[in-house]
Amino acid sequence: MTDPGTVLSAADDTVRELGGEFLPRRLDRASLETVAALMVDGTVDPHVTRVFTFEQSAEAVAAVETGHAAGKLVLTVSA
């Protein structure tokens, strides 16, 4: 990266040490709806690498714990 000031992180506040900016998370409805809209229009890519059913939840946890998850894993729950 040529400009560390363009780095944003909501996961690691040590980004400030690199000259970036830390964004605190807000998990209220309005914030979640804003992020959802950004994903729908393609502005934000959540990097979903695999979708698991609820019955596969043990497999999903194992993928995370073993480090084999390269992106986001989604667990679907149906009624």
Side-chain angles (χ1 to χ4, degrees), residues 26 29-44 46:
R26 286 177 259 159
R29 183 181 180 106
S31 296
L32 294 174
E33 287 176 346
T34 299
V35 171
L38 292 170
M39 287 190 283
V40 168
D41 75 13
T43 302
V44 172

Side-chain angles (χ1 to χ4, degrees), residues 14-61:
T14 60
V15 70
R16 294 179 181 128
E17 295 171 12
L18 301 172
E21 183 178 348
F22 178 70
L23 304 171
R25 296 181 215 171
R26 286 177 259 159
L27 298 178
D28 57 75
R29 183 181 180 106
S31 296
L32 294 174
E33 287 176 346
T34 299
V35 171
L38 292 170
M39 287 190 283
V40 168
D41 75 13
T43 302
V44 172
D45 179 0
H47 301 290
V48 174
T49 57
R50 185 143 179 223
V51 177
F52 293 87
T53 64
F54 183 74
E55 292 75 25
Q56 296 172 307
S57 57
E59 186 181 344
V61 170

